[in-house]
Amino acid sequence: MTKLPNDAFLRLSTSSITSHTLYGSHGVNQASQVSRKQSPYSMLLSPGTHCHCLLVHCSQSLQREEAGFRANHKEIWFMKMEQSPDNIWPFITSFFRHHPELAGAKTSALTEVCETGIEAFLSASPGQGHVHELGSLESVGANDQEGSLSLIKEPHSSRVNEHICGSLDRTWARRELAGAAGPALGAQRAPGLHSPGCRTRPLETPPPGVRLLKGRGFPGGPQSRTLPTPSCRSPSLRARRRVSYPPRRPLACALAGTWAGRAAFKAGATSPVQRLAIGRGGACRARAAAGISTANTSATATATATRGPPPCAPPLQSRIRAPRPQPAEPPAQHAPGACSPRAGRGCETLGQGPGDRSRLTGSEEKAKRRNAPGALSTSSETPFGANIAPGLLFQKTPEIYSVELSGTKDIVKTDKGDGKEKYRGLKNNCLELKKKNHKEEFQKELHLDDHKLSHRELEEKYGTDIIMGLSSTRAAELLARDGPNSLTPPKQTPEIVKFLKQMVGGFSILLWVGAFLCWIAYGIQYSSDKSASLNNVYLGCVLGLVVILTGIFAYYQEAKSTNIMSSFNKMIPQQALVIRDSEKKTIPSEQLVVGDIVEVKGGDQIPADIRVLSSQGCRVDNSSLTGESEPQPRSSEFTHENPLETKNICFYSTTCLEASTSPVGTVTGMVINTGDRTIIGHIASLASGVGNEKTPIAIEIEHFVHIVAGVAVSIGILFFIIAVSLKYKVLDSIIFLIGIIVANVPEGLLATVTVTLSLTAKRMAKKNCLVKNLEAVETLGSTSIICSDKTGTLTQNRMTVAHLWFDNQIFVADTSEDHSNQVFDQSSRTWASLSKIITLCNRAEFKPGQENVPIMKKAVIGDASETALLKFSEVILGDVMEIRKRNRKVAEIPFNSTNKFQLSIHEMDDPHGKRFLMVMKGAPERILEKCSTIMINGEEHPLDKSTAKTFHTAYMELGGLGERVLGFCHLYLPADEFPETYSFDIDAMNFPTSNLCFVGLLSMIDPPRSTVPDAVTKCRSAGIKVIMVTGDHPITAKAIAKSVGIISANSETVEDIAHRLNIAVEQVNKRDAKAAVVTGMELKDMSSEQLDEILANYQEIVFARTSPQQKLIIVEGCQRQDAVVAVTGDGVNDSPALKKADIGIAMGIAGSDAAKNAADMVLLDDNFASIVTGVEEGRLIFDNLKKTIAYTLTKNIAELCPFLIYIIVGLPLPIGTITILFIDLGTDIIPSIALAYEKAESDIMNRKPRHKNKDRLVNQPLAVYSYLHIGLMQALGAFLVYFTVYAQEGFLPRTLINLRVEWEKDYVNDLEDSYGQEWTRYQREYLEWTGYTAFFVGILVQQIADLIIRKTRRNSIFQQGLFRNKVIWVGITSQILIGLILSYGLGSVTALSFTMLRAQYWFVAVPHAILIWVYDEVRKLFIRLYPGRLQPGPLMCPRFLVGRLWEGPLQPGPLMCPRFLVGRLWEGPSFCSSTREKGSTAFPSTAHLALTHLTEPENYVWLSFPHLVACPVTSLHYSLTRGHLGLMALGWHLLDRKRQP
Amino acid sequence: MRRQLRSRRAPSFPYSYRYRLDDPDEANQNYLADEEEEAEEEARVTVVPKSEEEEEEEEKEEEEEEEKEEEEGQGQPTGNAWWQKLQIMSEYLWDPERRMFLARTGQSWSLILLIYFFFYASLAAVITLCMYTLFLTISPYIPTFTERVKPPGVMIRPFAHSLNFNFNVSEPDTWQHYVISLNGFLQGYNDSLQEEMNVDCPPGQYFIQDGNEDEDKKACQFKRSFLKNCSGLEDPTFGYSTGQPCILLKMNRIVGFRPELGDPVKVSCKVQRGDENDIRSISYYPESASFDLRYYPYYGKLTHVNYTSPLVAMHFTDVVKNQAVPVQCQLKGKGVINDVINDHFVGRVIFTLNIET
């Protein structure tokens, strides 16, 4: 482990759960012990649920007292969570006001602690590192390395305490200097701003005894050493903590921000938009904007300082006091490592400081420092161009850096590797993608190094001139070389080819063969006999027509699927302003070439990938590329190693937004990539390169076609041979062949499937799932893994008030989509005050003209939190604008990041006298410090220690929920001092802003959609793994994952276990962890095997901070598990993954066009719950398709048998080919479609997704059962009708045998029948048609029975309900009607060969139909009795017996545990045992899933019963209290039973 | 594989009683694999119910086997190369190790074949029963319906695959087969035979024989001699040798068919297309050119054993030679239909005479 520095350090850690451990004696003591051993400073640990702060103080003498201090006041730091550095003093003031007991000797320490601590807090609050490693020295070391923070103590110039300074060692001094450098830089960067150190602070009178220990800093060196960045973690560490949180990246950012902030503070810079936020990616929002300090700044300073004066020396102070340009300060130019490459956007400073925003860097800078000083100078290439002299640094602190250095090295190497790979990937991505090793291709970010180059180097590289631009000739050359700047559309298949493909796909080829054989046969007949019957021609035409119609139908469906590239094309900007030949020209952006100098104005789209040369307040909207919705600032500075992260590259097709601080956001940049070589082009080619995977249902249908075609062809050929060998003429044999083929091929089936799918698609569209690709309907049903995006899908994507705290109580607000019922107690007078503040102290307004829009959907002008508050109050109080009108606003201080509060003064509409009410809201700690009283139950109480503590607790708790907390206070201005005419002056602040009355807290989050947790649970019970894949920060992701149940309440990650058990992460048995949070950074280093392992071993996985390529990798990884993967996404960045997924689901509202195009399905309401609906529909449709196919296949045998009999036995042909077609395409179509409306048989969502290779649509049993059982019975039934007709007309069956030859002789016109009657040929033919019709009717009648039995696969028809599916009856009716029409309506049409059948023949097959029904019921009964494998012994007690016989006195016991039915419940039998195994009282999630089965049809109740009874009662309780209230009654019932002996 | 899982998990099961704890996955697989089982189960459910125990036993055995097979099947690697596929295929066809043919052992095969045997035997029983029932409803003596065979068709003799009579008077070979055919056909009409077997019943009225339908019915005599010149008794060549061919016309038998009373069906022939005079004269035998009513009704093959269809002989005494003459002979009479478009043999018959000299 690294050697700890001998000085103070500050640790920041976050983890949502770990607080208590730290809080307890163990962690704290250890931590403090560590610190005591190591340094003259002791630590202070302040754990919270989300943020932890460990402070160190310098005074050894205070060690003992610290404990008490710690114990009492650790929350303080949380209070300051959103505090900016320049508000520390007010805070300290108020702190001591409330904690007089801490005055004295200790407070000197405290003061410093406060200051530093606050600072730490600032960094920490959003940044969420780890705390639980703190338990041991070793882990402290690790933590130090990974996420901790060295605190920088800024010398307080006026109060330098020399004796403390004296105790500092050299390192210390160095650090201090470095620390000093920061502000200096800030000053430099914001030179015009007023200055610093002793600015107007509220701390006019420091509390008694406060010795402000100043003149020291904990500065640069260590800071950079400890700068937390994932990328600088050592490989070993990374390996060990693979599934851990990506650590403190944000922390680092935050630290950077802190630094900047401090610098600003010291320099006196007032940053206009300094803001601190918790929330999504909140870590890095805590940024001071104005002054920028970087790690290497401090490093440099350190370097300087080591040689320079001691820490407290005057030069330093003077620098701070009077900021002046620091030649040694490089501008904050390169600070990439601090944030993850991709996540850099999360690290941008929000503030719009006068200077540039920057990010801090960790690894990269360090790497450079170590590897070669030169590297640093390269990277510091900036307009300001300062150099760093790092030499000393290396000499001084080698051992400190050792670990990071190796880590960095590793990263550098990887990056290089990436680059190579990327080039390869770019060149031939389409082909390569499909190859085995394409994982690497995806894995790598685009290689670009242009962002690292100086302007001069750029000019050289591209042969251009920044001022003059390219020459026209050169541009023309380049254009010729590189091609136009547009995305290459993928090769299109010609429409005619697509159409032809449809014409020969599926059964079509077979039917074509049949049709041609018909025509050939007719040709041969015609050539020998001119009067040959036209029957064969008709048949051929009908067959051809069938094929063509089916083909057109399929083609129409195919043509509907849209082209993905079109959306990419849409994004191309039309015109670009380019400098060529020293002139500004507007040219079509297609003509841009690399090296062009372009200017982009706000609102324009970026015309190509450009390297920013200069920019003015430019921000780009990268949302379509990265999915990040926040505008990204762009400047000319190289800020990150990763091209996607660095600020000086703008990407093709993104939009340049008009910046808020600058009238016109403009960018001048050099084109570095055009067309397909741009990032977006890369992604586009990724998306189009990712082949359209065949949908599972397509595979199934293909499989089915193969089976049927195989059967048809083999039977056809077999009987062809038989016929020939039976001395039939070849021509006749061919006609037999045709008949066999036609009989075997379910002509109508493919159309039926299409219709069925589109019906389901329609149904799904009604439920907000718009299916673009019909086959995707089913795919969703077989989905076994859903990779879901977070924002907008799982969450509502808007800030919403979630909790309130007043009257010492936390109230829960309704965060559901419509805010409909706010149930918290609104009777309190505190609430009246609070609501007044919420209403009045708010600048947001509804846009006009939305009277009829529901409140929650109204558009609002204002920022997210104010919008949330406005809507919140509108919902509760009614017309907010009216209230505001009544309470006229007389003065207002808008929110700014310096103040961190918003204040307004209103005239009261109080009848008792016109008073002014001052209302204020802002960062809670900031508000609290302005307050001296607190309102409880409408009464003002002094704000004492205990109330403050409750405040802290509440604040901590709310913060711990990942929510953004605001504090509210007010003050009624005394009427005598502030008469009605009083003129408030905002600048002069002629009104009190302290000693206010604290009213309450309010916290906001982007809440999960209310339907999501339920949907996730449903997915779980459906055996679908829900994986969150988000670009968001791991902690936020995890918090949301927890709240929606993606990580279930009782599962832990490896880190959680490590923390709970207080052991190192490495010691945790990974098998114990059910959940895993994996970051993009970790993913990057994983081999595919490792990823597989994670995917296979963890049930609950969250991927955070992932890039598009990584999403693709994840999807592929899932697919390697043989899973059917659904991916949800909205951005362009998601489109490759959407395409790659078995089913891509795009967001309809938030989704980009590219995503929608790449997707197979669009969620119109962006709601995750819709997916579940889709899954249900998909599963249902698979089941129903199975039924449809079984139904359709059955009659094939009945159609085929006649031919076989005809050939072998020589009966007159029982059924004609055209009649067969009438069954297939006439009577059977509607019933088989009707099966699509069949309701689910039972627990469709409680079984696992089908296995795509095992659970086929058409499997052997289905085929065997359809063909050899029901089909055969049907054939017999139809033959019965046939024989009946013939027998009654005079031909008894025995006469018919071998009659065929005579029968068919045209010249035999006196063929004798069984009764001696003589028949002419035509009379026989007519009889034959009657036979056809009879056979047809026989099949028809039995198909009705078939249809009814196919309604269910295992349940009895009577369980399912015979009349529940009305459409079935429509189908049956249509079947009969069509039959009647054919027989009686078209009976005279010769070509159709139908005759009017006597009515009684319709009923001949009825007993057979009933037989089929009965037979199938018996089969189903057996299946229900002995599902799957038969179980011997007492387990074989049939369900229906259990239900009926033993209902009353039923005793749980082996007799009544039909395992096979319980086994139906997913993981049913094992949930109790797994509980036992783990030895925990926690009920496994599967248990309550199993319990949910109890709500299923009563069937399962009894069956599950024994298991439940065997479960620990607590588990049941647990499960029952998990919201399955519906089960309560049952549960208690069961419990009662259990209690009974 | 599955069994291992089972054994690993089983001990942890908390129940006191022995309980077979399956891998949940397996349970689920079973659920999904139901279909596969269905067919097998199906096989055991015979329509004629067997004893339950026997059936279960069978099923159990079956299940075990299947389980075994399935496990083995899962372990099989799926090869991509064709020879691997071939190997898998050949192993599927015959696996010498496990002695399995088509993935079934001999025992399994015999079992499943037995099951199917029973199943189909039951089906056969069912169809037999149905057919039996059918025959119960059908009289063997009289057809249930005769409307398809009405109105009666007409056929001529001699008939040899064609209705074109092409012969050369001077070449006996060209007409000899007509003669043979007619001779053969008229054997049953020999006077001696008719007198021996049949009764002479009064002409001009139906020969109605009451009594049960299964009683034997008597038939009226139709003697060959009724045909006079065309009986072949006087002219054994039936006029073919002289270019005056005899053609016999026969109305198709229909059970229960009765021509209109008092109006026997008459035969009249004429040239179908072309010159009416091509035929010039036809002699009909019997001279009435009609089918006497006494030959009706027909009572069916079983009871009306010796029934001989009445005939009308047409003697084309002066047909135009060396020219194809299409002749249409129609039945005439009340209620006789002779103009069905589709059926050229109902109530009429068309043939061509082409007599060369």
Side-chain angles (χ1 to χ4, degrees), chain A residues 51 62 70 160 190 212 230 272 299 325 341 472 543 664 678-679 810 844 936 949 955 1022 1168 1312 1340 1453 1457:
Chain A
C51 309
L62 293 176
R70 224 168 25 231
V160 172
L212 291 164
S472 299
L543 289 178
V664 188
T678 57
I679 299 264
I810 290 180
I936 293 168
K949 182 164 181 176
Y955 185 13
F1168 187 79
E1312 203 173 297
L1340 187 148
C1457 34

Side-chain angles (χ1 to χ4, degrees), chain A residues 1446-1515:
Chain A
W1446 304 334
E1447 194 145 17
L1450 184 60
Q1451 286 306 314
L1455 263 185
M1456 54 149 307
C1457 34
R1459 183 208 65 80
F1460 46 87
L1461 278 184
V1462 176
R1464 298 281 157 263
L1465 306 180
W1466 184 46
E1467 293 192 27
S1470 61
F1471 61 81
C1472 282
S1473 58
S1474 62
T1475 313
R1476 284 285 174 85
E1477 274 169 2
K1478 285 189 178 171
S1480 85
T1481 51
F1483 207 61
S1485 57
T1486 50
H1488 77 256
L1489 290 180
L1491 270 179
T1492 61
H1493 291 259
L1494 301 182
T1495 56
E1496 283 297 318
E1498 61 290 340
N1499 329 354
Y1500 293 117
V1501 171
W1502 296 113
L1503 307 171
S1504 311
F1505 189 6
H1507 295 289
L1508 292 177
V1509 171
C1511 278
V1513 177
T1514 49
S1515 304

Side-chain angles (χ1 to χ4, degrees), chain A residues 957-973:
Chain A
E957 191 173 335
L958 296 179
L961 296 170
E963 296 175 1
R964 178 175 180 180
V965 190
L966 286 180
F968 295 86
C969 64
H970 70 188
L971 181 68
Y972 283 98
L973 299 178

Side-chain angles (χ1 to χ4, degrees), chain A residues 25 140 174 220 274 440 442 456 489 498 687 689 735 769 942 972 989 1017 1032 1138 1200 1265 1314 1437 1511 1513:
Chain A
S25 56
V140 167
R174 191 178 72 227
Q274 203 167 29
E440 287 89 69
F442 294 147
R456 187 167 304 282
K498 284 189 199 167
I735 291 169
C769 298
Y972 283 98
M989 301 273 267
T1017 313
D1032 212 334
L1138 288 174
L1200 180 68
Y1265 183 64
S1314 315
C1437 45
C1511 278
V1513 177

Side-chain angles (χ1 to χ4, degrees), chain A residues 842-907:
Chain A
N842 192 334
R843 288 158 59 95
E845 286 176 18
F846 289 113
K847 282 186 182 163
Q850 306 185 78
E851 285 72 22
N852 297 325
V853 185
I855 294 170
M856 293 317 288
K857 294 209 170 107
K858 283 184 183 173
V860 175
I861 311 166
D863 73 16
S865 351
E866 294 219 311
T867 304
L869 292 175
L870 176 66
K871 288 183 174 173
F872 180 67
S873 47
E874 179 90 6
V875 165
I876 295 181
L877 301 173
D879 194 344
V880 168
M881 301 316 290
E882 179 58 34
I883 297 172
R884 285 196 202 159
K885 249 183 236 164
R886 285 206 307 269
N887 301 278
R888 193 173 62 86
K889 191 190 286 176
V890 291
E892 178 178 46
I893 301 177
F895 183 86
N896 69 47
S897 55
T898 321
N899 289 338
K900 291 226 159 273
F901 65 78
Q902 178 179 355
L903 179 154
S904 59
I905 299 169
H906 298 262
E907 276 176 3

